[in-house]
Amino acid sequence: MNTLSAAWSWLTSAAHWSGPDGVWHRLGEHLFLTVVCLALSCAVALPVALVLGHLGKGGALAVNVSNAGRAVPTFAVLVLLLLTPIGTYGDWPTIIALVLFAIPPLLTNAYVGMRGVDGDVVQAARGMGMTGSQLLRRVEVPLALPLILTGVRIAAVQLVATATLAALVGGGGLGRIITAGFNLADTPQVVAGAVLVAVFALLVEAVFEAVRRLGPRWARDGAR
Amino acid sequence: MTAPPDDCLARNEWICGAYLTSRRQILWNAVLEHLELTFFAVLLGVLIAVPLALAARRWSWLGAPVLGITTVLYTIPSLAMFSLLLPLYGLSASLVVAGLVLYSLTLLVRNILAGLRAVPEDTRQAARGLGYGPLRLLLAVEVPLALPAAMAGLRIATVSAVSLVTVGAIVGHGGLGNLIYAGMNTFFKAQVLTASVLCVLIAVLADLLLLGLQRLLTPWTRAARA
């Protein structure tokens, strides 16, 4: 219990919250990395998944990308990128690794959502004279939205986790508090950093859950 | 004074045969540690997940909290999970195994429960009509029918565990992750690439092995598809 009370006093000491190594700065970095990389990976993955799902092609790709994403260790990719020439450009290895690991859940869920749209509904929309792009925007995407949003939620949680690991290769974010604690052999600081990361990850999950519950009913069904 | 050797190790190339031959023992030990950590984590995960899933199936009020808690555990990033266990286990291999067990629980419990819940009520009734007791019903009817879903969960849990073991390098017990971590600090490209490739290879082989096992255990699923 000693470690826990020491971790608590670490967390409650104001000195640890300010400055360039302080919690607020690291939290800002973590949030920035998560939001920017979520936007980037959505911009890359969602159009591809929606078009493939609309055309009904590339199902094997959408599924295999997910499996590959699970088999390749995040830590290995972070280190590999760091040792390539990209590694000399500040945050770029981190950002690229984050985007790479956020793409699989986005791609797979959006694709599965698009393919799960009832064939009769698609037929009816075509019968009403809708063009391909009208069908995509006004029928398929709205109906696939619950699963697309599930993919975004999983990607966001994944991003928080990967951004934490980025601290191991010198990236910013809350993980730095943990790695600094390990380097100092300061267990209370390690635990305090871990608590901050865990709370942050759970808050991100909670925000998505709240959005889902407050959203319109049709966007809610089928999620989870 | 002799000139420095001019081989791929000296040039620090990504792909290096001399690395493989000169560090064979180190690589082999790392692979063994990696396999050991993964094996014990998944084994313990199964031993805990099966009773949890059975209990959640038997008493329905237990289902929501069990799934809820395991989902919360799964949301916690791996580095934070290992760090939170530090006061309990110290810098030990048990810490890595414990962390991996907590992750595998989510995937295993969810899939086993889904498999058990998908057993048709008619099938259960028919078995009862044939005079099956609760234990025989479970072992001879429900478990075999739940096996494909459970095995799917086991495969995902195993592949994830193989990849997450590398993070154990932070406490010095990361199998191939140790080599990646050491290679990062010394900019040793061949070591980082070799260890990473071996890691993916282990994940793929473990997945194929479990797929083969699943086919052996559930021959009827193949017959139905043909």
Side-chain angles (χ1 to χ4, degrees), chain B residues 53-174:
Chain B
L54 287 176
R57 169 97 185 82
R58 175 76 182 71
W59 298 286
S60 51
W61 55 266
L62 216 65
V66 164
L67 284 180
I69 290 170
T70 51
T71 306
V72 164
L73 288 174
Y74 198 67
T75 309
I76 298 174
S78 51
L79 189 62
M81 180 74 95
F82 289 150
S83 305
L84 284 173
L85 294 170
L86 186 65
L88 285 175
Y89 293 97
L91 299 171
S92 66
S94 324
L95 177 143
V96 179
V97 172
L100 294 174
V101 167
L102 291 177
Y103 278 119
S104 62
L105 277 185
T106 316
L107 299 162
L108 291 170
V109 170
R110 188 171 292 177
N111 277 273
I112 297 173
L113 203 55
L116 286 173
R117 281 182 177 159
V119 175
E121 190 54 40
D122 291 350
T123 312
R124 217 171 275 138
Q125 296 281 351
R128 268 194 215 108
L130 285 167
Y132 279 42
L135 188 65
R136 204 163 152 224
L137 176 71
L138 178 72
L139 293 179
V141 178
E142 290 181 314
V143 166
L145 284 176
L147 211 53
M151 286 299 286
L154 183 62
R155 282 171 61 198
I156 297 176
T158 308
V159 171
S160 309
V162 170
S163 128
L164 279 173
V165 165
T166 54
V167 181
I170 187 84
V171 294
H173 294 276

Side-chain angles (χ1 to χ4, degrees), chain A residues 7-181:
Chain A
W8 178 248
S9 58
W10 193 97
L11 279 174
T12 46
S13 125
H16 293 134
W17 287 74
S18 56
D21 286 330
V23 174
W24 288 123
H25 181 232
R26 294 301 181 199
L27 184 67
E29 286 178 332
H30 212 110
L31 197 63
F32 175 78
L33 274 177
T34 308
V35 171
V36 167
C37 293
L38 187 63
L40 272 176
S41 41
C42 283
V44 173
L46 290 184
V48 175
L50 295 184
V51 169
L52 286 179
H54 175 70
L55 300 173
K57 285 177 182 156
L61 173 85
V63 174
N64 286 329
V65 158
S66 233
N67 290 335
R70 213 175 280 124
V72 178
T74 320
F75 178 46
V77 171
L78 280 164
V79 176
L80 284 172
L81 284 170
L82 182 75
L83 297 190
T84 58
I86 305 167
T88 51
Y89 294 95
D91 276 341
W92 279 105
T94 309
I95 292 175
I96 293 173
L98 281 154
V99 170
L100 280 178
F101 281 96
I103 285 176
L106 287 168
L107 202 60
T108 307
N109 279 284
Y111 182 85
V112 171
M114 291 291 285
R115 296 311 296 155
V117 173
D118 192 343
D120 291 347
V121 177
V122 174
Q123 292 282 332
R126 280 201 196 285
M128 286 166 66
M130 279 197 183
T131 63
S133 72
Q134 282 176 326
L135 179 68
L136 178 74
R137 275 183 291 119
R138 290 160 67 175
V139 178
E140 289 178 320
V141 170
L143 286 174
L145 203 60
L147 264 180
I148 296 175
L149 290 179
T150 304
V152 176
R153 179 175 59 82
I154 298 172
V157 172
Q158 171 90 55
L159 280 169
V160 173
T162 316
T164 314
L165 274 182
L168 285 175
V169 299
L174 289 170
R176 278 299 271 276
I177 298 170
I178 298 177
T179 52

Side-chain angles (χ1 to χ4, degrees), chain A residues 76-87, chain B residues 7-20 180 183-184 187-197:
Chain A
V77 171
L78 280 164
V79 176
L80 284 172
L81 284 170
L82 182 75
L83 297 190
T84 58
I86 305 167
Chain B
D7 59 0
C8 57
L9 282 173
R11 287 194 301 271
N12 195 17
E13 285 172 5
W14 284 106
I15 299 168
C16 181
Y19 173 75
L20 287 178
I180 298 176
M184 173 184 81
F187 279 79
F188 193 170
K189 290 178 181 173
Q191 176 155 306
V192 172
L193 186 65
T194 311
S196 307
V197 169

